[in-house]
Amino acid sequence: MCKKKIFLLFILSLLFIACNTKEESIILSSQVVLIPKISVKKDSITTILIEKPVKIEHYFQYLDSIVCKYDSITPYSLTEHLLVRANPWIIDTLQNTDYYRLKAKDSFVYNQKKMVILPKGANLILPDSVLAKKLQKSIDKTLIDVNIPEYKLRIYEDSLLLYEFTVRVGRHEKKYLKFGDRITDLRTKTGNGSIVDHVKNPDYYNPVNGHQYHVTRRDDNKVTALPQIPWLITEINNIRYGQLIHPTTNPKSLGKAYSNGCIGTREADAWIIYYHATLGTKINIRYDLMVEKDGKPQVLKDIYGLNKKKL
């Protein structure tokens, strides 16, 4: 889509040269986003200089501006996921904004959105066609696997296990939800499907009464602003049940049947999952009671009382 803007970018570049300015900008969502300069090192690695610090609240707008600008000069379709996967330090930095990781370092942060995520002076690698092809191949082979009674979400590349995370799943009960205006079975549904959408700046609503909220009470009983971490929307068996993969601000609920059907993760884990789940990424949600642990078979608790039957 950004390649269609080549002509506009060409005009902007002419204006940039004519005005002899040090930086150019575009307006996205009423925010001024600075577009960094590009440089080529002696080893032919193309890098992008971050000229001003970027906070989490402007992070996605900033990446979008980079993608739209440099997509016109790459022989492949540049995406946010390719760019960040080529710069894994970004994911590490995002993980370390996890409230509980900061707390473990005796650091209390009320509003994570105000944290600087891309520091001034850092450089982003713009992947060449070889690296981009390698990364895209990995992305295309990615599978997200969730086993409900095990409370586990795993990320595979083909048959290779990349990550394993403890999650929470839907409660074993039925309840009236304002969202949907009906009695809803809160158990997480099983089946095969894909990631169909990303919500990069989610609004938080109580699904029971429909009320919006902006703060959360943490496990340590402190109140903070809600974080800006993407939610993943799933489609299972060609149906959108409203089952999201998203972080919880209360990790004490992980490893439990606790949610209204969504799959909850730690904040740090949610960033890894997001950058391994482009649109179209396959997802398998299963209910397997027989698993193997430390090389030995183990029977899990039948939390939904299904006795190995599928939902």
Side-chain angles (χ1 to χ4, degrees), residues 38-67:
I38 191 169
S39 63
V40 180
K41 295 183 177 180
K42 293 181 180 179
D43 56 5
S44 297
I45 297 177
T46 304
T47 61
I48 301 169
L49 176 65
I50 299 173
E51 297 184 351
K52 288 193 175 183
V54 178
K55 296 180 180 180
I56 290 178
E57 62 185 339
H58 301 139
Y59 168 72
F60 289 112
Q61 296 168 334
Y62 182 81
L63 290 187
D64 286 346
S65 72
I66 292 176
V67 170

Side-chain angles (χ1 to χ4, degrees), residues 94-112:
L94 288 165
Q95 283 188 278
N96 287 326
T97 65
D98 184 307
Y99 173 85
Y100 295 94
R101 286 194 177 188
L102 293 168
K103 179 188 173 185
K105 297 179 180 179
D106 295 324
S107 178
F108 172 77
V109 176
Y110 174 77
N111 190 349
Q112 291 156 286

Side-chain angles (χ1 to χ4, degrees), residues 103-139:
K103 179 188 173 185
K105 297 179 180 179
D106 295 324
S107 178
F108 172 77
V109 176
Y110 174 77
N111 190 349
Q112 291 156 286
K113 295 180 181 180
K114 301 298 182 181
M115 296 180 68
V116 171
I117 197 64
L118 301 177
K120 177 182 178 180
N123 285 281
L124 301 179
I125 294 174
L126 186 65
D128 59 20
S129 57
V130 175
L131 177 57
K133 184 177 180 180
K134 179 181 178 181
L135 291 172
Q136 190 61 56
K137 184 177 180 180
S138 174
I139 289 170

Side-chain angles (χ1 to χ4, degrees), residues 147-240:
N147 189 16
I148 294 171
E150 195 179 6
Y151 306 109
K152 293 293 184 182
L153 181 151
R154 297 178 174 89
I155 302 176
Y156 289 92
E157 183 179 326
D158 279 341
S159 59
L160 177 64
L161 175 63
L162 301 180
Y163 298 97
E164 178 180 296
F165 303 121
T166 299
V167 298
R168 72 183 190 186
V169 297
R171 299 196 297 275
H172 185 195
E173 64 177 271
K174 293 182 179 180
K175 191 173 185 178
Y176 172 80
L177 299 182
K178 181 70 174 179
F179 283 2
D181 192 24
R182 60 185 173 85
I183 300 295
T184 303
D185 184 348
L186 301 183
R187 296 178 296 176
T188 300
K189 307 299 186 294
T190 62
N192 297 309
S194 63
I195 304 300
V196 294
D197 204 357
H198 298 142
V199 183
K200 296 182 182 180
N201 190 10
D203 292 322
Y204 292 79
Y205 290 87
N206 185 327
V208 177
N209 56 30
H211 293 167
Q212 185 174 10
Y213 56 102
H214 303 280
V215 297
T216 181
R217 186 171 296 278
R218 301 281 184 165
D219 286 341
D220 58 5
N221 210 35
K222 295 185 183 295
V223 174
T224 71
L226 286 158
Q228 185 178 336
I229 304 175
W231 296 356
L232 309 183
I233 298 179
T234 66
E235 184 175 276
I236 306 299
N237 301 331
N238 298 315
I239 300 174
R240 298 191 187 187

Side-chain angles (χ1 to χ4, degrees), residues 225-285:
L226 286 158
Q228 185 178 336
I229 304 175
W231 296 356
L232 309 183
I233 298 179
T234 66
E235 184 175 276
I236 306 299
N237 301 331
N238 298 315
I239 300 174
R240 298 191 187 187
Y241 294 103
Q243 293 183 170
L244 308 173
I245 300 175
H246 67 79
T248 173
T249 56
N250 302 102
K252 282 186 179 180
S253 64
L254 298 174
K256 300 176 183 178
Y258 190 89
S259 76
N260 292 310
C262 293
I263 297 163
T265 74
R266 288 183 175 84
E267 292 178 352
D269 299 344
W271 285 112
I272 292 179
I273 297 168
Y274 170 66
Y275 278 114
H276 284 78
T278 58
L279 299 185
T281 297
K282 294 180 181 178
I283 179 170
N284 175 42
I285 303 178

